[in-house]
Amino acid sequence: MQFGIFSVGDVTPDPTTGRTPTERERIKAMVAIALKAEEVGLDVFATGEHHNPPFVPSSPTTMLGYIAARTERLVLSTSTTLITTNDPVKIAEDFAMLQHLADGRVDLMMGRGNTGPVYPWFGKDIRQGINLAVENYALLHRLWREDVVDWEGKFRTPLQGFTSTPRPLDGVPPFVWHGSIRSPEIAEQAAYYGDGFFHNNIFWPADHTKRMIELYRARYAHYGHGTPEQAIVGLGGQVFMRKNSQDAVREFRPYFDVAPVYGHGPSLEEFTQQTPLTVGSPQQVIEKTLSFREYAGDYQRQLFLMDHAGLPLKTVLEQLDLLGEEVVPVLRKEFAKNRPADVPDAPVHASLLAGAKKKEGVGA
């Protein structure tokens, strides 16, 4: 099972000091957080994609390419790549290039995003969000698997005899997760292609997450990719830890109350009761995270949001030390217990390449 972190890259004032980091400081902090993730033994770093204040990660592949040059084993991903407003041709080329630079340590998460104005900024109609996601991904899927593509659709100009460059590393496209909070159509899309489904469940109660994942698993099996239990599932979550749970609650409360994603709404206590947000001791984080398996089944990737809401870099790095030293080692051990042998690990470049070679051998 993979464990990692994802960042939405918000530039938020620290409510305890009133200071707002510069965009440069926030970008550099995201890089430092990624490097720390590898240092403490995590598997994945993922960055969001946003094109509006108060967020800075408008060019994920630029950031991930820089991080790739400074890491050795960290899987570099997104959380989300906007399949609705990005040109599929550009996505195909950017991530294939990143694949080569990072020696295959790349995957990505497709999503529609949660910022409505981004659609007209890129010449798209938000009312066509689902249709854009379906059509654009269908083209991207072909661009990575066919050397020459003839294509015509509704939302972009036709392609005739087109080859995206560079070609995917070793002829193996990056693994794709389809991320969604509320759209069953996206779970269906992930299942149709046999891709991963990432439910960013930080806002939602367990019963909603359970329904979405069960839908994806059932449809994954329907399309002949394997049993429901073999479907590739990822979950989100946010944690804030201190050795003493009361200290964690006291320290995190002012950040929670003004967080751009979920502040000014339910209380911290209500939110932690109803969603995966965990604020407390490392043991409490372990217990809450292990409970996800009760409604998600044996899943493959767990990402934590650690740097949201104006938390200073020093505090985030302390959180990562706790995560890497006290939490993830226990989670790895406990999640491995009683895990069926036929439940796959999260795909990485080496396993995808081995699978492709095996298919070639069978077909030879």
Side-chain angles (χ1 to χ4, degrees):
M1 184 167 171
Q2 292 178 336
F3 294 93
I5 55 174
F6 71 100
S7 175
V8 297
D10 59 306
V11 181
T12 304
D14 184 331
T16 67
T17 65
R19 185 182 184 278
T20 303
T22 66
E23 290 181 323
R24 180 182 184 277
E25 287 172 334
R26 188 66 176 95
I27 291 168
K28 293 288 190 179
M30 291 175 68
V31 172
I33 289 165
L35 301 183
K36 185 69 170 181
E38 176 160 284
E39 177 189 321
V40 301
L42 301 184
D43 306 304
V44 183
F45 172 80
T47 174
E49 178 188 345
H50 294 276
H51 299 274
N52 58 291
F55 304 98
V56 293
S58 59
S59 181
T61 51
T62 302
M63 172 171 283
L64 294 178
Y66 181 76
I67 294 170
R70 302 185 62 186
T71 55
E72 295 181 358
R73 39 165 215 88
L74 199 64
V75 174
L76 307 171
S77 190
T78 55
S79 64
T80 305
T81 294
L82 299 177
I83 188 61
T84 47
T85 52
N86 280 305
D87 185 344
V89 171
K90 188 61 172 159
I91 295 176
E93 295 182 337
D94 282 354
F95 281 89
M97 176 69 78
L98 181 59
Q99 249 197 329
H100 286 273
L101 291 171
D103 298 322
R105 294 184 289 122
V106 174
D107 59 36
L108 67 162
M109 187 194 306
M110 299 296 177
R112 292 184 294 141
N114 56 11
T115 306
V118 74
Y119 285 83
W121 293 341
F122 288 87
K124 307 299 181 183
D125 184 343
I126 192 173
R127 294 170 295 183
Q128 297 292 334
I130 292 291
N131 293 330
L132 280 162
V134 171
E135 181 177 295
N136 284 351
Y137 185 65
L139 174 55
L140 175 63
H141 194 267
R142 289 186 59 192
L143 289 169
W144 274 337
R145 289 165 176 81
E146 300 175 27
D147 289 339
V148 180
V149 173
D150 294 316
W151 180 89
E152 185 171 353
K154 180 179 179 181
F155 298 110
R156 77 174 314 280
T157 54
L159 297 173
Q160 295 182 345
F162 180 77
T163 300
S164 69
T165 60
R167 304 303 297 146
L169 178 65
D170 300 320
V172 177
F175 185 73
V176 170
W177 303 80
H178 298 259
S180 179
I181 297 174
R182 61 190 179 278
S183 302
E185 298 91 340
I186 301 304
E188 176 77 17
Q189 184 182 41
Y192 175 80
Y193 288 101
D195 294 337
F197 179 62
F198 190 93
H199 191 274
N200 192 5
N201 53 325
I202 61 174
F203 305 112
W204 290 84
D207 59 344
H208 172 80
T209 302
K210 184 175 187 289
R211 287 194 300 272
M212 290 287 284
I213 291 174
E214 286 180 345
L215 170 64
Y216 161 68
R217 289 188 184 279
R219 300 302 288 171
Y220 182 95
H222 169 80
Y223 288 115
H225 301 298
T227 67
E229 294 76 21
Q230 292 173 324
I232 308 300
V233 173
L235 292 178
Q238 180 170 7
V239 300
F240 186 87
M241 296 172 283
R242 289 302 183 199
K243 296 287 187 180
N244 182 290
S245 60
Q246 289 83 2
D247 291 339
V249 171
R250 182 174 59 253
E251 185 175 348
F252 187 67
R253 187 182 301 279
Y255 296 95
F256 173 87
D257 288 344
V258 300
V261 171
Y262 46 50
H264 311 286
S267 70
L268 175 59
E269 286 74 17
E270 291 171 325
F271 212 88
T272 52
Q273 182 181 18
Q274 298 171 10
T275 76
L277 174 66
T278 312
V279 181
S281 67
Q283 184 58 38
Q284 287 174 307
V285 170
I286 290 168
E287 292 171 1
K288 182 80 167 274
T289 305
L290 288 174
S291 74
F292 297 170
R293 186 163 56 178
E294 297 172 7
Y295 55 85
D298 287 290
Y299 62 108
Q300 283 76 15
R301 174 175 284 186
Q302 174 66 55
L303 299 184
F304 296 102
L305 178 61
M306 307 291 289
D307 65 336
H308 179 50
L311 287 166
L313 177 59
K314 178 177 180 293
T315 300
V316 176
L317 297 181
E318 291 168 353
Q319 295 292 303
L320 288 172
D321 278 328
L322 288 170
L323 191 69
E325 294 170 6
E326 299 192 28
V327 174
V328 166
V330 178
L331 291 177
R332 288 194 196 280
K333 180 180 178 181
E334 293 299 318
F335 273 118
K337 287 182 178 178
N338 302 317
R339 187 180 181 94
D342 62 343
V343 172
D345 293 327
V348 294
H349 184 75
S351 63
L352 294 170
L353 179 58
K357 289 181 177 179
K358 184 176 180 180
K359 286 183 180 179
E360 290 177 2
V362 170

